[in-house]
Amino acid sequence: MRFVASLTRGANELNTIARLWQESGDTRNPFEHVLITPLFIPKSGMAVIRSWKESGVIKNLYFDSGGFYVQMGRIDYVDLYFRLLQYYRCEQWADWYVLPDHVPLTGEVQTRVWQKVRDTVEYSRNFLEELPDDLKPRAIPVVHGHTHDQISYCLEHHLSLNTSYVGFGSFHTSGKKSSVNKLSGETYKTLSYIATTLVRKGVRLHGFGVGTPPVVYLLSAISVFSFDSIGWMKTAGFGKVFLPYIRAYNITYFDKSATTIRERQFIEMKEATGHDCYFCRSFDRLHRERYYRTLHNLAVILDMVGDNLDPIRARETIRKYSPDYTYLVGRNEQNL
């Protein structure tokens, strides 16, 4: 499964992350596949991304539509459409272009959800027609919806566009302004249906905005081709760290409401998962330094998309350390 690093920061932070990763001696390239939202990334960050693309660090660059910012109330959906179309026409150096999607939120009434689903379908078709011919094969329409009928409606129309790549963005939302995506049981069932449908047609499926280790493993079990996440970075900012198959745990003790672990527990989890990286060899530095937590989390995600995933270890570790995901493991036991 392909991990696509979502990068939204300015040049200073991107360059610091790249430098520290290189200093670690880890020969993997965490930025081989990158997603940015070109309308909203800082100009200095865009300059770094372009230089990484031109130098070959980035092999596959995804331009995201910015539907998340409509969801957050930062831009109107129609305004997004026209600004994005103008940008895509001018900047044809990316590998993939996400079509403008209108994200339905958890708890919205069905009439409103249906309106957003229809918006996504109709605006995606019109947008694709207005793209230069060279970009059309690189377009990624996004499936939205909360019900089987809504998902099927989206799939039917998107597949009629003869696309080779489809995204899914209707995860369960929570948090401030519904800004956090979560994998609920119903969403997992929906994703499995979409993945099965697309695999039969030779079409890839991408999951937008998810990336905790248990979720990464569960997505791999149902043949999701790729996913993007900035969770490895955001989580570190909240004082939390990942380990393979294990949800984020707090190690800075500033957030009194978070589930916190101490060094002894962290070492136990490392031994249980077999993870070891340059950035977590000193628990004290991991505890104190955000960049070390960030790059440790990034290393964990890379572990999760390698060829060495262990189904038995996955089941045991998820059930022991990430019990909230146990029912999803059981639901898809035949794939795990």
Side-chain angles (χ1 to χ4, degrees):
M1 187 165 62
R2 175 183 292 180
F3 163 59
V4 182
S6 180
L7 299 177
T8 62
R9 302 297 200 264
N12 288 341
E13 188 154 359
L14 294 181
N15 286 329
T16 298
I17 288 172
R19 175 180 58 80
L20 288 173
W21 185 269
Q22 186 174 25
E23 290 175 0
S24 76
D26 194 321
T27 58
R28 296 175 294 182
N29 178 7
F31 308 120
E32 184 175 4
H33 315 291
V34 165
L35 177 141
I36 62 170
T37 307
L39 296 183
F40 292 93
I41 189 173
K43 289 183 179 179
S44 65
M46 176 62 86
V48 171
I49 295 299
R50 183 134 199 177
S51 69
W52 288 1
K53 178 63 176 169
E54 291 173 350
S55 67
V57 173
I58 297 174
K59 306 299 183 186
N60 283 283
L61 179 62
Y62 296 67
F63 278 175
D64 190 24
S65 69
F68 172 77
Y69 293 91
V70 175
Q71 176 182 333
M72 297 291 288
R74 294 270 302 276
I75 188 172
D76 178 78
Y77 182 61
V78 175
D79 289 342
L80 173 72
Y81 179 100
F82 289 108
R83 286 182 57 189
L84 194 69
L85 181 61
Q86 182 180 16
Y87 189 89
Y88 282 5
R89 284 171 168 171
C90 294
E91 305 292 341
Q92 300 186 27
W93 49 280
D95 299 281
W96 299 102
Y97 293 78
V98 179
L99 301 181
D101 57 315
H102 206 177
V103 185
L105 306 180
T106 299
E108 286 188 317
V109 296
Q110 285 304 302
T111 52
R112 180 60 174 157
V113 175
W114 262 114
Q115 182 59 56
K116 289 184 173 182
V117 169
R118 292 191 180 98
D119 284 348
T120 298
V121 165
E122 293 169 12
Y123 280 80
S124 292
R125 179 177 295 277
N126 293 339
F127 194 96
L128 187 64
E129 290 177 356
E130 296 191 76
L131 279 180
D133 288 343
D134 287 349
L135 297 191
K136 289 177 180 178
R138 293 183 264 165
I140 302 178
V142 184
V143 171
H144 279 301
H146 293 165
T147 68
H148 182 80
D149 286 347
Q150 291 161 355
I151 296 297
S152 296
Y153 175 84
C154 246
L155 271 178
E156 178 185 352
H157 284 83
H158 287 344
L159 288 173
S160 71
L161 303 177
N162 295 317
T163 181
S164 63
Y165 214 160
V166 170
F168 175 78
S170 284
F171 290 93
H172 180 86
T173 55
S174 63
K176 186 178 180 181
K177 295 186 178 180
S178 299
S179 61
V180 178
N181 287 347
K182 293 186 176 181
L183 184 64
S184 67
E186 195 59 36
T187 305
Y188 193 49
K189 180 180 178 182
T190 297
L191 265 174
S192 182
Y193 163 71
I194 295 172
T196 300
T197 301
L198 294 181
V199 165
R200 287 201 299 261
K201 297 180 179 296
V203 177
R204 297 169 171 177
L205 175 61
H206 179 87
F208 284 99
V210 290
T212 61
V215 170
V216 173
Y217 188 76
L218 289 163
L219 295 182
S220 72
I222 55 172
S223 301
V224 172
F225 176 79
S226 60
F227 70 97
D228 69 88
S229 175
I230 198 172
W232 50 279
M233 186 182 291
K234 278 187 164 182
T235 295
F238 291 123
K240 298 178 181 181
V241 293
F242 294 149
L243 280 166
Y245 316 116
I246 297 177
R247 69 171 183 83
Y249 280 91
N250 187 284
I251 64 167
T252 59
Y253 324 132
F254 299 133
D255 184 355
K256 302 302 182 183
S257 65
T259 303
T260 301
I261 59 171
R262 302 285 176 173
E263 182 175 7
R264 177 184 56 80
Q265 295 165 295
F266 181 73
I267 292 173
E268 174 190 297
M269 291 178 180
K270 282 184 63 175
E271 291 174 350
T273 61
H275 172 80
D276 179 60
C277 73
Y278 173 84
F279 302 101
C280 67
R281 287 171 191 159
S282 167
F283 184 80
D284 182 60
R285 292 200 74 170
L286 197 66
H287 165 78
R288 289 186 292 105
E289 299 186 29
R290 176 174 64 90
Y291 279 122
Y292 269 57
R293 293 192 299 274
T294 297
L295 293 171
H296 159 77
N297 288 343
L298 185 57
V300 168
I301 295 299
L302 294 182
D303 288 351
M304 295 294 301
V305 296
D307 296 326
N308 57 344
L309 295 181
D310 183 339
I312 296 175
R313 173 175 275 177
R315 287 195 295 268
E316 293 174 349
T317 307
I318 288 173
R319 285 168 174 156
K320 184 174 182 179
Y321 296 109
S322 304
D324 289 348
Y325 295 93
T326 300
Y327 74 104
L328 292 178
V329 173
R331 170 170 286 186
N332 206 53
E333 193 73 50
Q334 70 273 16
N335 291 320
L336 295 176

